[in-house]
């Protein structure tokens, strides 16, 4: 097979890149090792920044989002037994929208298949070849065990943190920045309506908790736990008891219901530089990870592929390499801003059991200042709703 851009990974990054390239008349082939059913049901991020929503509208992908998405004009910081609202829209003029990553993936797959795009699910043994030359190749086995080769001008590695794209780059050609936090998140998806119209970030002496949602009927809840913990130690009763404790203030109670899904996730920040190796370009989680506290992961991937689509258009349609040469630096400026904001939110809101009493008091002081200072609240709001895309 021959294509201009071979894309590894059918998550939001790979699919959106394929769509953006298609709009510019550039063909692509997308490879995915999971089934279509799996990727369309894989519950991940749920907060879309303002520039992400605007981009999806501009490229014709927001029909369902505008009907089913839930715009939010603020978030709540809960500490000292009280709620402290950060009025995102009043402070910035913009909003966030809660719309699940899996819903964006469904919209993208439908749009790409309507345009007769090539998306190959359930592939295996994917390998990248000759990425430092001008004719890179991808080999793989399809779902029937038949071997294939794709000849391309460019390869886009959009296959996530555990994918094969980043390991295809020699270690000597990458600088890795890795920070592991001393806590993890236990996340549950619950069949019950949200107990609040906006996200609640709760700071409690037992640890952090987050109240979020996916639909008006489904709530997403998180508990800070020890990284060495295991799911089998958390019964439904224990989960609900701890959630009710950490969110407790006068007049508030969570809506309990059947737990549909539970997941234990370590917290880390991870960045590789550069995000390009020859004709291989890394995007999204294959190049960087942020802790979910700042709601930045999927939004960073969207920015990456927007920048990459413009760069590849200039390279493949006009023979101009300036934008591909600056791709990594352009993306990394936003990545590091998001890393700093996510680190700030994570360290401010979580309780580090390895920290001393002095550090705990500093975190509380930061929370009180953020909630009481219009300047501090505006800085949080500006970063949370998302800095404008270029």
């Amino acid at each position: 097979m021959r294509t201009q851009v071979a894309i590894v990974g059918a998550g939001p990054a790979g699919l959106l890149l394929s769509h953006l390239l298609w709009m510019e008349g550039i063909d692509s082939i997308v490879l995915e090792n999971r089934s279509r059913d799996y990727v369309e049901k894989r519950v991940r991020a749920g907060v879309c920044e303002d520039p992400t929503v605007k981009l999806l509208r501009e490229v014709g992908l927001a029909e369902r989002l505008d009907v089913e998405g839930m715009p939010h004009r603020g978030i709540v910081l809960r500490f000292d037994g009280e709620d402290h609202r950060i009025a995102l829209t009043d402070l910035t003029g913009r909003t966030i929208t809660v719309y699940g990553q899996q819903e964006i993936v469904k919209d993208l797959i439908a749009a790409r298949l309507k345009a007769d795009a090539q998306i190959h699910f359930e592939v295996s043994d994917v390998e990248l070849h000759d990425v430092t030359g001008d004719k890179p190749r991808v080999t793989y086995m399809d779902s029937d065990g038949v071997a294939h080769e794709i000849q391309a001008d460019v390869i886009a590695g959009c296959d996530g943190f555990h994918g094969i794209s980043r390991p295809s780059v020699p270690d000597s050609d990458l600088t890795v920045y890795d920070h592991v936090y001393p806590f993890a998140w236990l996340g549950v998806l619950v069949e019950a309506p949200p107990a609040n119209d906006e996200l609640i970030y709760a700071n409690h002496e037992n640890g952090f908790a987050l109240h979020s949602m996916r639909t008006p009927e489904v709530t997403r809840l998180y508990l800070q736990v020890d990284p060495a913990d295991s799911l089998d130690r958390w019964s439904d009763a224990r989960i609900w008891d701890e959630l009710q404790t950490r969110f407790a203030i006068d007049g508030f109670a969570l809506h309990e219901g059947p737990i549909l899904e539970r997941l234990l996730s370590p917290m880390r920040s991870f960045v590789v530089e550069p995000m390009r190796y020859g004709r291989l370009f890394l995007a999204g989680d294959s190049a960087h990870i942020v802790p979910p506290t700042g709601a930045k992961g999927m939004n960073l991937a969207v920015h990456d592929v927007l920048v990459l689509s413009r760069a590849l258009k200039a390279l493949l349609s006009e023979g101009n390499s300036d934008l591909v040469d600056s791709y990594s630096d352009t993306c990394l400026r936003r990545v590091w801003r998001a890393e700093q904001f996510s680190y700030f939110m994570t360290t401010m809101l979580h309780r580090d059991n390895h920290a001393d009493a002095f550090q705990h008091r500093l975190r509380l002081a930061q929370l009180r200042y953020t909630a009481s200072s219009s300047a501090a609240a505006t800085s949080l709001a500006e970063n949370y709703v998302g800095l404008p895309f270029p």
Side-chain angles (χ1 to χ4, degrees), residues 347-348 356-369:
T347 54
M348 176 176 68
D356 57 27
F358 176 80
Q359 292 170 301
H360 291 315
R361 299 302 290 182
L362 289 181
R363 285 178 168 83
L364 187 57
Q366 181 63 62
L367 270 170
R368 289 169 175 165
Y369 174 67

Side-chain angles (χ1 to χ4, degrees), residues 150-170:
I150 300 174
Q151 298 177 352
D153 297 310
V154 166
I155 299 173
C158 305
D159 50 342
F161 184 75
H162 299 289
I164 58 94
S165 295
R166 188 181 67 253
S168 298
V169 182

Side-chain angles (χ1 to χ4, degrees), residues 193-313:
N196 194 62
D197 292 337
E198 296 175 338
L199 278 71
I200 303 172
Y201 289 78
N203 175 273
H204 188 272
E205 63 180 13
N206 287 12
F208 169 76
L210 172 62
H211 170 281
S212 183
M213 63 285 293
R214 288 297 175 265
T215 72
E217 298 80 28
V218 176
T219 304
R220 188 72 159 167
L221 300 163
Y222 296 94
L223 287 169
Q224 174 190 342
V225 298
D226 190 281
D229 218 331
S230 60
L231 288 176
D232 57 15
R233 296 180 56 194
W234 286 87
S235 64
D236 288 10
R238 184 186 178 195
I239 289 172
W240 283 116
D241 182 64
E242 195 60 34
L243 284 168
Q244 296 287 7
T245 297
R246 296 189 195 185
F247 283 112
I249 61 169
D250 289 344
F252 178 86
L254 290 171
H255 298 151
E256 298 189 10
I259 294 177
L260 307 175
E261 175 187 288
R262 65 189 75 208
L263 181 69
L264 192 63
S265 303
M267 302 279 281
R268 76 188 308 161
S269 293
F270 179 91
V271 182
V272 295
E273 297 183 2
M275 292 170 58
R276 175 193 180 185
Y277 179 65
R279 287 290 181 109
L280 170 62
F281 295 84
L282 304 178
D285 286 359
S286 64
H288 42 75
I289 295 287
V290 290
T293 327
K296 292 289 167 245
M298 179 182 64
N299 296 289
L300 281 179
V302 169
H303 176 260
D304 286 352
V305 298
L306 174 62
V307 174
L308 184 55
S309 67
R310 293 170 175 172
L312 294 181
K313 176 193 175 185

Side-chain angles (χ1 to χ4, degrees), residues 66-89:
D66 284 333
V67 174
E68 301 176 18
M70 295 180 283
H72 286 203
R73 300 170 62 88
I75 61 172
V76 174
L77 304 181
R78 181 169 291 182
F79 63 94
D80 284 344
E82 297 179 347
D83 280 348
H84 308 264
R85 185 172 184 267
I86 306 297
L88 301 176
T89 305

Side-chain angles (χ1 to χ4, degrees), residues 281-356:
F281 295 84
L282 304 178
D285 286 359
S286 64
H288 42 75
I289 295 287
V290 290
T293 327
K296 292 289 167 245
M298 179 182 64
N299 296 289
L300 281 179
V302 169
H303 176 260
D304 286 352
V305 298
L306 174 62
V307 174
L308 184 55
S309 67
R310 293 170 175 172
L312 294 181
K313 176 193 175 185
L315 177 68
L316 301 176
S317 300
E318 305 161 17
N320 186 332
S321 63
D322 290 348
L323 292 181
V324 294
D325 291 339
S326 62
Y327 164 72
S328 183
D329 289 341
T330 300
C331 291
L332 285 168
R333 282 195 292 271
R334 191 180 189 92
V335 168
W336 281 110
R337 173 88 288 278
E339 291 285 0
Q340 192 281 327
F341 176 69
S342 299
Y343 179 87
F344 160 75
M345 290 284 285
T346 302
T347 54
M348 176 176 68
L349 287 161
H350 288 70
R351 185 173 183 86
D352 184 352
N353 292 327
H354 302 287
D356 57 27

